[in-house]
Each structure stands twice: as C-alpha cells, then as structure tokens.
Amino acid sequence: MKFGGTSVGTPQRMKEVTKLVTKSAEPVFVVLSAMSGTTNSLVEISDYLYKKNPDGANEVINRLEQKYAKHVAELYTSQEQKDKTAEFLKSEFNYLRSFTKELFTSFEEKSIVAQGEMMSTNMVANYMQEQGISVVLLNALDFMRTDKNSEPDPVYIKEKLTALLQEHEGAQVFITQGFICRNAYGEVDNLQRGGSDYTASLIGAAIGAEEIQIWTDIDGMHNNDPRVVDKTEPVHQLHFEEAAELAYFGAKILHPTCVQPAKYAGIPVRLLNTMDPDAQGTTISNQTEYGKIKAVAAKDNITAIKIKSSRMLLATGFLRKVFEIFESYQTPIDMVCTSEVGVSMSIDNSSHLGEIVDELKKYGTVTVDTNMCIICVVGDLDWSNIGFETLALDAMKDIPVRMVSYGGSNYNISFLIREEDKKRALQNLSNTIFNKK
C-alpha cells in the first residue's frame, strides 16, 4: 500500500491511513511519501544553501520544525511516544542545520530532500506502535538501490528485502520510505521518475505481493480530464499498456514508468482514494477489456517540427540523420508522421529547439508550430476493431488536426491540435464516445 503526501498530510490523515492499513488480515507493506509541503520546504532549504544564505535556510528549517511539533502534539496520546518522536525530530532538524556550515553540492541536496520521508515514516510507525500494532520500520536506504545507469537494481532489492522480511517474520505491518534510495556508489539518491509509486511497484514485485495499492486523493483514473470536461467517470479496469499511454499523455495520477515492475511480475495495481476508501477505484492488470474505448488524456506544451526535403525521396539514412539530431540534444519525440517528401515530429521539451532547428536545416526546409497539444484516445484500438478510429475521428470533425498517429500500439490513437482547441476537443470526444446514452 502506497500513500502519497496528502494522505499523510495531517495527524488526522495519518490516523485514517492506520485504519486502512490494519483492515487487512494479511501482512501489509506500506510505502509513505513525505507529508505534503515538506519536500517543497526541503528543496527551498537547499536553494538557500546553494545561494550561500544560511540564515534563509535556518528560517525555513525553524518554520518546518514548528509545524512538526504541532503535529506531534495532535497525533499521540501517550507521553512516551510524544517524547520519543520529538527526540527523533529534534535530531532530524539538527541534521538539516548541520548543512548550513558546509560546502553545498547536489549530493547534500539529495540527503536533505530524503529527510521528508524519514520523518513521515517514523511518525506513522510510532503512532501504530502506540495503537498496539505489530509494526516494523525499514530504512529504504538498506535495500533500495540503483545501478550505474540510475535504473533500479531488482536482484539486489529482492535479495535485501527477503532477508529483512525473514528477520522480522510475524510482523503485521512493514513501513518504508518512498522515492529515496542509494545509487551504485552508496550515496543517497532518489528514483526521480514516479517517486513513491515506483518504490511501491518495485517492492511489490520483489516480495511477490498479492496486489499493489496506490492511495491518492482521487478515485482512480477518469475517462477524461475532470478539470476541463463535464461528467467524467472513473475507469474501473485498465490494461498496463493503456495506463502507461494515459499516464504519458497527461493523466497525472500515475507516472508511466512506475508500473513496469508490476506489469512484468503480473501483479495488479489498484488506484484508490484515501478520502473515499470504499470507492471502487481503478484496477490495472495484464487483462484487456475487448471492444472498449476507455479514456482520453491531453498533453500540453507540445511543439511540432516539420522537415521537407525533395532529397529525401528514396534516400536511405535520411530518417536516421534526423533522429540522431534529437538524440544528440537528449530530446525525446512524442509523435512521428512521414510522407514521401517530409517528416513531422512533435516534442514536449523545447529547451534545445533553436539548435535542433539549425541542424535540421542542413537536410531540408523546416517549419515549427508551437502551443500545440496532443489528445490521446486509449482503449482496445486494435486495427481489426472496425469503426473505433472512425468514432474518434468523428468527434474531431470540427477541429483542425495537425497530425494523427494510429497503429503504433494497439491501445492508442493520437491527435496533434492547437492548445486553444483542447477543451472543445476533449468535450467532443466525451460526448461522442462516453456520453452517447
């Protein structure tokens, strides 16, 4: 069970999490994020230290310490746990203060940012102890490790975790920190992409969990963006590929890479709502619901680049040269469409746009469209399902479409449109596909 920052954001929420965790008759492994707002404060402290302003850093540390002292007073009833937690937090904040006296680099920043999860897990574990629950607090830095390519090391994680679980056999609840890890050189680091969700997925795969539950403050993935479109509904079942497409194209509830360990281990992932624990949420598994369009997502801040060249006609190696330019500037491509004399691509990172365009001009005429948006329709879109792509195209009939991508996967058809047309496109797709009744 993984709980995000808002789920452990107040003493009351920590108590609710404890209730949810202890509902299970089976042993439970719990991954916690830092309390909401804490990581931002830790980043702010680091920022002051980079700028050699220890006074600014100490001010933020003091403010954060006061906030935590208030939480301790509210969370515990026994003086013993109040004193124990207060003592631990005092050492944490003194540790943060120790950085104001030294040289500050990105290594120190990673150590500072890791403390948010250390504090939240300690507070919840102490509260569970107070409630008489058999709980073991494991330090993620003892088993969560990345390799020299900054990718998680599943063999190491499984080996270390198995040993730790055997050591504490019989415990009802295991708690650890999300997001943080050690790198191949033993330094404190973090998992970057997907953070705590990634931790939960890696642990679930390593221990062969029955299921992985990601608890947030909304009831699963919706079939469209509820901030933009009326009458959206949660999607109850998704294939891993469908969830990855939606996550990549804008569904913020999940990071596209974080479910991969669960997918390969064949463990279902459930997205559930801490504010409404009885809601069905979304189950993501290797099962496909045939003949259904599931959801629509949008990705903003897209730039389209078209390169036209009569020399491209029958020229081998042309596409390789074009893609190598994007690779040299570490700029991933979202969509690609080719014709006999040209190729159009979309990117979501325009930080090297000028240099990329300059290089592309060696091979043809280049045009750039900015302020674009990708609309992605996800479901069982196998090409043998007659009429499904027509349904999506029909919804877009009044909207100028710059590019269409279909056939790259069995789960997705994507449209590149202007950002100003996004709201209309999303609403049209909802009306045509989901609200036909």
Side-chain angles (χ1 to χ4, degrees), residues 83-101:
D83 293 346
K84 181 180 167 185
T85 312
E87 196 59 39
F88 167 76
L89 290 173
K90 186 181 173 185
S91 69
E92 279 289 301
F93 286 106
N94 286 340
Y95 175 65
L96 293 179
R97 287 188 186 97
S98 72
F99 290 98
T100 60
K101 303 175 185 73

Side-chain angles (χ1 to χ4, degrees), residues 36-103:
S36 52
T38 300
T39 303
N40 288 346
S41 295
L42 296 171
V43 169
E44 193 184 348
I45 291 163
S46 304
D47 196 38
Y48 277 121
L49 295 174
Y50 272 125
K51 294 183 168 75
K52 298 187 168 40
N53 179 355
D55 292 344
N58 277 323
E59 204 170 302
V60 182
I61 292 169
N62 292 343
R63 209 164 52 225
L64 197 59
E65 189 170 27
Q66 284 164 3
K67 181 180 162 184
Y68 273 81
K70 192 164 167 274
H71 288 327
V72 169
E74 281 179 46
L75 185 58
Y76 307 102
T77 46
S78 77
Q79 197 56 45
E80 185 194 346
Q81 289 298 354
K82 279 183 185 177
D83 293 346
K84 181 180 167 185
T85 312
E87 196 59 39
F88 167 76
L89 290 173
K90 186 181 173 185
S91 69
E92 279 289 301
F93 286 106
N94 286 340
Y95 175 65
L96 293 179
R97 287 188 186 97
S98 72
F99 290 98
T100 60
K101 303 175 185 73
E102 292 167 13
L103 176 73

Side-chain angles (χ1 to χ4, degrees), residues 279-291:
Q280 190 177 339
T282 302
T283 301
I284 304 166
S285 67
N286 284 317
Q287 307 291 313
T288 299
E289 263 189 300
Y290 295 104

Side-chain angles (χ1 to χ4, degrees), residues 185-233:
Y185 311 100
E187 298 151 346
V188 175
D189 209 331
N190 54 60
L191 294 171
Q192 296 156 2
R193 308 184 302 265
S196 301
D197 293 352
Y198 207 4
T199 303
S201 192
L202 287 162
I203 290 172
I207 65 174
E210 194 179 305
E211 69 176 23
I212 295 162
Q213 298 179 353
I214 309 280
W215 290 81
T216 63
D217 51 3
I218 51 174
D219 47 354
M221 272 198 191
H222 277 236
N223 61 9
N224 210 324
D225 188 338
R227 296 163 302 180
V228 179
V229 173
D230 306 327
K231 293 195 278 194
T232 68
E233 287 176 0

